[in-house]
Amino acid sequence: MIAFTLNGRKVEVEAPPTERLSETLRERLGLVGTKVGCDAGDCGACTVLLDGAAVCACLTPAARATGREVLTIEGETPELSRLREAFLAYGAAQCGICTPGMLLTAAEYLTRNAKPSAEEVETALGGVLCRCTGYRSIIAAVVAAGQGVLPDAPPGGSVGQAVPRVDGAAKVAGDSFGADEWPEGALIVKAVRSPHAHAAFEIGDLTAFRARPGVAAVFTAADIPGRNAFSVIPPFADQPAIAASPARFRGECVALVAFEPDAEPDLSAFPISWTKLPALASPGEAEHSPLIHPNRPGNLLIEGRVIKGDATTALASSAHVVEGTMTTAFVEHAYIEPEAGAAWMKGDTLVIRACTQAPGMDREDTAAILGLPVDRVRIIPSAVGGGFGSKLDISLQPLIGLVTLKTGRPCRMVYLRHESMTSTTKRHPAEMRGRIGCDVTGRITGMEFEGRFNTGAYSSWGPTVANRVPVHVSGPYLTPHITAKARAIHTHGPVSGAFRGFGVPQGALWQETLYDRLAEKAGIDRLEFRILNALRDGDGSATGQVLQAVGIHDCLTALRPHWERALAEAKDQPGRGVGVASCWYGCGNTALPNPSTIRIGLSRQGEVILHQGATDIGQGSNTVIAQIAAEALGLPLATFRLIGPDTALTPDAGKTSASRQTFVTGRAAKAAGEALRAAILRLANAGTGAAISLEGATLAIRDGATLRRIELAALQPDARGYALSAEETYDPPTSALDADGQGKPYALYGYGAQVVELEVDRALGTVKLIKITAAHDVGRAINPMLAQGQIEGGIAQGIGLALMEEYLPGRTENLHDYLIPTFGDVPPIESLLIEVPDPEGPYGAKGLGEHVLIPTAPAILNAIRHATGAEITRVPALPHRVQEALGATA
């Protein structure tokens, strides 16, 4: 027995003395607020206070707590209370998975330094990783907590107000993620995975293994009752939930073992033999090698193209032409929450609770794999500890579903960090080349672009990347002639999927670095070159779409004073450089249906219930959608209660990707709010300008001098069980692209531009970021605080793409060897919210989540070139690559 004081209460627990304290807290004492992101002390999510000192619970033996005081996020101190309030006020908790570790580390620091500076906070919290926020809001919150002065929350919560998250209280209390809830007696599920990129395998006699103590069941591909193939785009379904021989990538699942809940889940004796096979590592090699999938000649998954005008002729007659290449690497999503979930039966319905970005898609794919009707599968998304695109693809959902379906017992599964990184999707590596030209005045004349994208072993989002890149690769600039092609090629690499931008960030690296060179050839300031060529209302895009509400000119001109100041400060400063880059991004699916549905009910007890099926992965959709609904209905945000997402309780609001939720689900929420308001006004025989309020279970409608009251309990329940309700769907108006990529792929676009100031150490090849100024057109800022949080978080990921992140299978499969930005890597960020309302968006709003990452990396490369003359054509720009580029300029 181990005895200690836990959150002020004396406890005794039976646990092995060498057991991780994090496991003791979570598994034996039920305090799941202590999160586990790595089990290696790399992320800091599991931080607790041991006798007041911050420690990683995953590295602390349980016995070390004997006779001591342990404080977890479930506890309370004066410092912790102030920090919770500050994190809410400053939007410092986004997905929330790192928040317990951040709060406890900060609480300990405030006991040693009551009023820290921003620089001191940056140093003190440096051991805790965050993938969402970009750290700046966390720093601001800790400084404010020390000073004891917090901004007042705006009243009402209408559109345009920076209200705290509606789910914020849960975030700062240790929200419930995929690994945090499971039924009593749940089996523990582990996957047997391929250690090779390409290998034949043979599973031996399982009789003896099944008879081992603690083994409840074993499953292979032969046990899949339905279609053992899935993809986020059903016509391309090619990835098995459990693979039959051969395995096509390192980390692929080839078998499942379910262990009894009190057993040690040991796979070391599993009878399997491997025969390594030749592995295709690059698209160039794969195009001329044996096929990974027999129906895809040349290992080509798909080619996307956009052809407008005659680019070859336009370039031949151009006054200036530049050409170049750009190569990018696999990039890991590195969310702090590994994949996790639980499954159980409720009657004849299979219930799966897991971290996901796409519950509707999960439900359809899992049902198909398990041979079930869709209505017999229910998906309940947990809180999601970061996703960024990778949690759009199913991972463990069909695996735990299979175990529960076959055994009739509940089960749970939690990926190890290594398992998460090897088995899930990555950003597509790209090999890009092409030419861009302009006339003597600097106006762009034409572009030719060709890109090869390593889509890995299976399709995932490869078709979307290959089609989206040619649409966007011209950037937000008027380009009369363009030929752009992108090919997604299969290899035996990790599966490449969606990652914040669907290939557009890779294309922007190529185009924006070439635009800098083209501006210099034309003798025009780099920012002014972009302003000159910026798209305007009425211009045609590369796909021939006539654009409206184009905000890129406003973004670029807003940066002028910052650009001029930065250039002046960098002048005559060796190693100082300033860079600029722009972006645009179509919100929603590319030229495909993209509907969202929202339901709002008014109960007979006087509650406003918002059935919101869009998963909030930290970007704030729970709050933004509720704000839009409240504005449309005309009731305060505080009157709303959120239900969902849950496929049994909420209509399908589509996947959380492609910067679509604020726009698409926001439009559905606006329509539902307006429809319910109209029903109330009709019932009260009131005009459209009437004010609505709730007084308990009574609706009060004031129309001028007339006051009408409706007793909700007196109304007959409608078909949904409410006194009054409305359900509305919105699907953006788009059109399919023809063979040349011409059409209307998106109903609206968001725009942005960023200026980077940095310093290069020529001797070491290192880059120090000084400041980033970001101007982004959001159409209408539904919640400015959340918008700023998205900008800062996206910039942090752009920094990683530019300077440090490179996933190498077999080498960087943990958060120690795979580097993501920390507190010290993200400089001060100044966000400029530009509002050019789009009539298609809810109250003019546009999406934002992906746009914010796109300009950062190319602006950094442009700043490096400005500082040193070195042209970086491969990212990340690691010190040795910067030194090589510097050597090429010598």
Side-chain angles (χ1 to χ4, degrees):
M1 298 295 289
I2 298 172
F4 58 96
T5 300
L6 178 59
N7 299 327
R9 179 175 59 91
K10 292 193 179 299
V11 298
E12 285 189 346
V13 60
E14 186 175 350
T18 58
E19 182 175 83
R20 300 174 191 270
L21 180 58
S22 55
E23 186 171 351
T24 304
L25 292 170
R26 292 178 56 84
E27 299 288 331
R28 300 180 189 275
L29 294 168
L31 297 188
V32 295
T34 300
K35 308 306 179 186
V36 177
C38 67
D39 266 342
D42 294 327
C43 73
C46 66
T47 299
V48 299
L49 302 190
L50 186 60
D51 283 345
V55 298
C56 286
C58 75
L59 296 183
T60 303
R64 195 170 291 174
T66 301
R68 304 172 75 179
E69 293 189 5
V70 175
L71 182 75
T72 72
I73 195 65
E74 290 88 354
E76 202 63 80
T77 69
E79 292 82 11
L80 195 51
S81 296
R82 295 203 309 274
L83 283 162
R84 291 189 213 272
E85 294 178 12
F87 268 51
L88 292 175
Y90 283 86
Q94 288 193 17
C95 82
I97 191 69
C98 75
T99 303
M102 288 287 184
L103 285 168
L104 287 160
T105 303
E108 185 254 7
Y109 185 62
L110 287 182
T111 64
R112 294 187 284 113
N113 184 354
K115 296 185 181 297
S117 67
E119 293 75 16
E120 289 170 330
V121 171
E122 185 178 295
T123 301
L125 271 61
V128 187
L129 295 178
C130 175
R131 194 57 159 164
C132 294
T133 64
Y135 302 106
R136 306 310 304 183
S137 59
I138 295 173
I139 295 171
V142 176
V143 170
Q147 294 172 343
V149 179
L150 300 179
D152 293 328
S158 59
V159 164
Q161 292 185 323
V163 299
R165 294 172 178 269
V166 297
D167 52 3
K171 302 294 181 190
V172 298
D175 211 345
S176 181
F177 295 88
D180 294 343
E181 294 183 30
W182 60 90
E184 186 176 355
L187 299 172
I188 298 171
V189 181
K190 292 291 182 181
V192 179
R193 299 189 181 276
S194 173
H196 308 294
H198 188 205
F201 63 89
E202 185 174 346
I203 296 175
D205 185 0
L206 290 170
T207 305
F209 185 83
R210 286 191 171 107
R212 290 170 66 90
V215 174
V218 179
F219 302 100
T220 67
D223 296 302
I224 298 288
R227 183 191 69 187
N228 193 16
F230 68 88
S231 177
V232 289
I233 304 174
F236 291 90
D238 57 1
Q239 184 169 354
I242 304 175
S245 184
R248 294 183 173 89
F249 71 97
R250 176 178 168 85
E252 183 162 25
C253 174
V254 300
L256 288 179
V257 180
F259 294 91
E260 295 294 341
D262 57 349
E264 181 66 29
D266 182 6
L267 295 173
S268 60
F270 188 84
I272 188 168
S273 59
W274 299 94
T275 303
K276 287 183 67 175
L277 300 173
L280 304 177
S282 70
E285 178 186 7
E287 285 182 312
H288 308 287
S289 296
L291 301 185
I292 296 173
H293 300 280
N295 60 337
R296 292 173 184 165
N299 285 311
L300 175 67
L301 171 64
I302 195 172
E303 179 181 84
R305 62 174 61 191
V306 168
I307 300 173
K308 178 183 178 182
D310 185 346
T312 301
T313 299
L315 289 167
S317 61
S318 296
H320 307 288
V321 176
V322 293
E323 60 182 306
T325 65
M326 181 63 67
T327 301
T328 70
F330 284 115
V331 182
E332 159 66 20
H333 297 74
Y335 28 74
I336 305 304
E337 178 203 27
E339 289 71 12
W344 61 92
M345 297 300 298
K346 186 174 183 180
D348 65 352
T349 298
L350 174 64
V351 182
I352 296 172
R353 180 186 185 273
C355 52
T356 178
Q357 296 179 235
M361 291 166 56
D362 286 0
R363 186 187 193 201
E364 292 170 3
D365 282 341
T366 300
I369 291 167
L370 299 181
L372 293 174
V374 171
D375 61 6
R376 282 193 57 199
V377 177
R378 176 183 181 185
I379 302 293
I380 305 173
S382 65
V384 182
F388 317 114
S390 188
K391 289 176 182 173
L392 291 165
D393 300 66
I394 55 173
S395 54
L396 51 72
Q397 292 88 335
L399 306 183
I400 57 178
L402 176 68
V403 171
T404 289
L405 196 64
K406 291 285 189 176
T407 66
R409 298 176 62 183
C411 70
R412 58 173 171 145
M413 189 175 193
V414 180
Y415 284 12
L416 301 175
R417 172 54 57 184
H418 169 272
E419 189 176 16
S420 175
M421 293 181 76
T422 56
S423 68
T424 61
T425 61
K426 308 287 174 275
R427 185 182 293 283
H428 283 72
E431 302 165 359
M432 300 168 287
R433 60 184 177 88
R435 304 186 295 158
I436 312 175
C438 70
D439 63 21
V440 69
T441 69
R443 292 193 177 275
I444 296 167
T445 52
M447 170 186 287
E448 290 178 340
F449 168 85
E450 183 177 341
R452 287 193 303 201
F453 290 77
N454 183 345
T455 206
Y458 298 107
S459 59
S460 185
W461 291 95
T464 300
V465 169
N467 283 303
R468 193 177 268 269
V469 168
V471 171
H472 288 84
V473 78
S474 61
Y477 312 111
L478 183 62
T479 307
H481 301 275
I482 182 171
T483 297
K485 299 178 181 179
R487 300 195 304 280
I489 309 293
H490 284 297
T491 67
H492 290 111
V495 179
S496 296
F499 189 168
R500 209 165 191 169
F502 288 99
V504 178
Q506 294 95 301
L509 278 160
W510 175 82
Q511 88 219 8
E512 289 292 328
T513 52
L514 282 194
Y515 284 136
D516 256 29
R517 290 171 51 199
L518 190 58
E520 291 180 8
K521 265 200 168 186
I524 302 174
D525 173 89
R526 292 171 290 152
L527 176 65
E528 295 303 326
F529 176 86
R530 289 168 168 83
I531 292 172
L532 173 69
N533 287 286
L535 289 165
R536 304 291 191 97
D537 284 11
D539 283 343
S541 71
T543 70
Q545 180 177 353
V546 177
L547 300 171
Q548 64 177 5
V550 181
I552 185 59
H553 186 269
D554 297 63
C555 292
L556 288 166
T557 53
L559 288 175
R560 260 199 189 117
H562 304 273
W563 174 255
E564 291 167 358
R565 174 200 52 77
L567 287 176
E569 292 178 3
K571 187 177 181 181
D572 300 326
Q573 297 291 321
R576 285 286 294 268
V578 184
V580 64
S582 303
C583 74
W584 68 326
Y585 195 79
C587 300
N589 291 350
T590 305
L592 291 170
N594 192 23
S596 281
T597 302
I598 287 288
R599 179 188 307 147
I600 307 174
L602 190 55
S603 75
R604 300 174 77 211
Q605 294 74 39
E607 268 195 308
V608 184
I609 315 288
L610 174 62
H611 294 257
Q612 205 278 93
T615 53
D616 191 324
I617 59 173
Q619 85 281 24
S621 58
N622 281 340
T623 304
V624 167
I625 302 306
Q627 283 184 265
I628 292 170
E631 182 86 6
L633 179 55
L635 285 173
L637 180 62
T639 63
F640 279 70
R641 180 165 68 87
L642 183 67
I643 287 182
D646 179 333
T647 60
L649 301 177
T650 53
D652 189 2
K655 61 190 184 298
T656 294
S657 71
S659 302
R660 64 176 296 281
Q661 292 296 9
T662 295
F663 163 39
V664 183
T665 303
R667 273 292 303 266
K670 182 173 183 286
E674 290 172 341
L676 182 54
R677 177 180 174 81
I680 292 169
L681 296 180
R682 282 196 302 272
L683 195 61
N685 195 27
T688 57
I692 300 172
S693 61
L694 268 172
E695 301 170 357
T698 302
L699 264 177
I701 302 95
R702 184 174 293 279
D703 189 6
T706 303
L707 177 64
R708 299 179 177 87
R709 298 185 186 276
I710 299 173
E711 300 299 328
L712 294 170
L715 298 179
Q716 192 71 21
D718 66 12
R720 303 184 185 98
Y722 287 112
L724 294 164
S725 67
E727 181 174 300
E728 296 292 333
T729 298
Y730 173 75
D731 192 0
T734 62
S735 67
L737 301 180
D738 65 19
D740 288 332
Q742 298 299 293
K744 183 182 179 181
Y746 310 104
L748 62 76
Y749 297 78
Y751 302 86
Q754 296 174 11
V755 168
V756 168
E757 302 167 56
L758 55 71
E759 187 172 86
V760 180
D761 185 318
R762 298 181 69 99
L764 299 177
T766 55
V767 176
K768 179 184 178 182
L769 298 173
I770 297 170
K771 183 183 180 183
I772 296 178
T773 308
H776 285 270
D777 168 28
V778 299
R780 174 81 183 277
I782 303 295
N783 187 313
M785 179 173 66
L786 299 184
Q788 180 175 324
Q790 285 295 287
I791 291 171
E792 293 172 354
I795 285 173
Q797 291 186 356
I799 291 168
L801 172 64
L803 297 177
M804 65 189 72
E805 296 191 42
E806 183 168 14
Y807 180 80
L808 301 170
R811 291 174 58 189
T812 59
E813 297 174 343
N814 55 61
L815 293 177
H816 177 76
D817 297 309
Y818 185 86
L819 302 180
I820 68 172
T822 65
F823 274 90
D825 296 310
V826 181
I829 297 168
E830 184 173 352
S831 298
L832 309 177
L833 297 182
I834 309 300
E835 295 183 309
V836 179
D838 193 306
E840 196 63 41
Y843 301 104
K846 304 170 182 176
L848 179 67
E850 278 149 304
H851 317 57
V852 293
L853 176 147
I854 297 167
T856 309
I860 288 172
L861 298 196
N862 287 338
I864 292 173
R865 181 172 178 269
H866 178 243
T868 65
E871 293 184 8
I872 308 294
T873 59
R874 180 181 176 186
V875 294
L878 301 172
H880 72 278
R881 291 176 185 156
V882 174
Q883 288 179 319
E884 289 170 4
L886 287 168
T889 66

